[in-house]
Amino acid sequence: MINLKSQKIIDTIFFSLLLILLTFYYSTLLLVPFHPDEATQIYMSSDVELIIYDIKSIYLRDDLQDPIKQNYRLLDSPLTKYSIGIARFIFQKPALTEDWQWDKSWEENSNALPSTDLLRVARMSTSIFFPGTLFFFYQLTRKIFSKPIAQISVILFASNSIVFLHTRRAMAEGILLFFLVLTLYCLYTFPNKWSFLTAIPVALAINAKQSLIVLAFIALLILIYQHYRHPKDMLRYITLFSSIILFIFYLLNPVIWDRPINGITAMIEKRSELTNNQVNAIESVADKFILNSPLEKIIGFIAQSFITLPAIQDIGNYQEQLASSEIVYTQYLVHKGISRNIFWGGILFVFFVLGFLQTLRSKQPQKIFLCFITILFILEVTILFNIPFQRYYLALYPFIFLFLAIGLTDFFLKIKTVVNKYTGCFLK
């Protein structure tokens, strides 16, 4: 047992480290190398003004002269562009008038490059969720496990080079992680009679990134488990839960307001078409980059979660133009991913597995269910994702660092026990 004085020292160290990390996180925000998808999100953030002044122009139409924006509305979850658009509106920054064209050179895309001030506002609008992510991650892990596990998990998560890179761009990852962790926290804390209200964070998570739809399945399983003894109550709660999700999805996607059935059908078709196009395009130039077999996908999960260096670019279209910003960015240790290699990454993966197995053996339903949630997310990544872009794996990171913290803690506690045992024998 840790005495009160020691606990206060540990808490002081924890909060001091967290404050240092957050200060560095925001003070180096603009050092993060630019990603062209940031330009697309800033370009699409003009929908905020359209919602205020000309909402009907967003509705699904078959006869549009410029279908680019409608295509994005059908493809992408909207919360990122809304967050950027609201920030722009507050700070009076105009949206980009041109989208980034991946088949054009850096110079040809000059009109799609945001200014420093615009990029700062856009990145702040998405990275502002990061402290909230840490807060709910801490509260969740403390509730299910313990304060030491929560503190170790949060520090590992907050100092990770992959998290540092991808959550500070004007893209979906920072908002995705916030609503993922918030949803998990709500699933574990809402009382049974109000559990249908978990539909609110679930719906927001889906509108941050479609891949988080697995949370809806998880929440439904919890509802069924809580109320299966009373079928009428269960049906009522499932109906309320589903209605809330559909309502929020409809509310946040004006593109489907006028023709909801056609709009949702178009969304599914566009997403499938995009995935196929991405695979075909990458396969034509780098077929080994595509993950086809289950074994390749598992290796991809391990590599992107523990081994590969921070991916400044998804693909190397603009290697020359980003080289200087990459050099400046990686001069800091926390940006380099110093432990991300086959040796240390392999060791950390082993501790992750040990922490997972220990949690699975705990025989405590809350902990075991978290293992089940982790398996669902791993299955989603390894089954649905053929393209191993690093940011696609980011939803797994809260689970990875939680089980990693458990594995490391258990290992050092066993080492301490062995040391104390032999030290005692020696002193005798």
Side-chain angles (χ1 to χ4, degrees), residues 133-173:
T133 303
L134 299 181
F135 174 78
F136 286 111
F137 186 40
Y138 176 81
Q139 295 298 333
L140 174 70
T141 49
R142 183 178 179 180
K143 175 180 174 57
I144 302 174
F145 295 91
S146 65
K147 191 174 184 178
I149 293 295
Q151 290 175 335
I152 295 169
S153 301
V154 168
I155 292 300
L156 288 173
F157 181 83
S159 61
N160 181 260
S161 58
I162 310 302
V163 173
F164 255 74
L165 174 64
H166 294 293
T167 61
R168 289 190 291 176
R169 283 173 165 160
M171 292 163 63
E173 283 65 38

Side-chain angles (χ1 to χ4, degrees), residues 16-17 47 198 215 262 284 304 321 352 371 374 379:
S16 298
L17 278 173
D47 275 6
T198 57
L215 291 172
N262 291 343
S284 65
Q304 295 292 14
Q321 291 81 2
F352 160 75
C371 291
T374 305
L379 285 174

Side-chain angles (χ1 to χ4, degrees), residues 153 188 263 307 363:
S153 301
Y188 274 91
I307 297 170
K363 297 181 180 179

Side-chain angles (χ1 to χ4, degrees), residues 382-395:
T382 54
I383 291 172
L384 298 183
F385 296 165
N386 292 329
I387 305 171
F389 288 161
Q390 192 173 71
R391 53 197 171 93
Y392 288 2
Y393 296 82
L394 213 61

Side-chain angles (χ1 to χ4, degrees), residues 2-12:
I2 299 175
N3 60 45
L4 186 60
K5 185 177 180 181
S6 297
Q7 187 60 61
K8 286 183 177 179
I9 293 172
I10 292 171
D11 290 346
T12 301

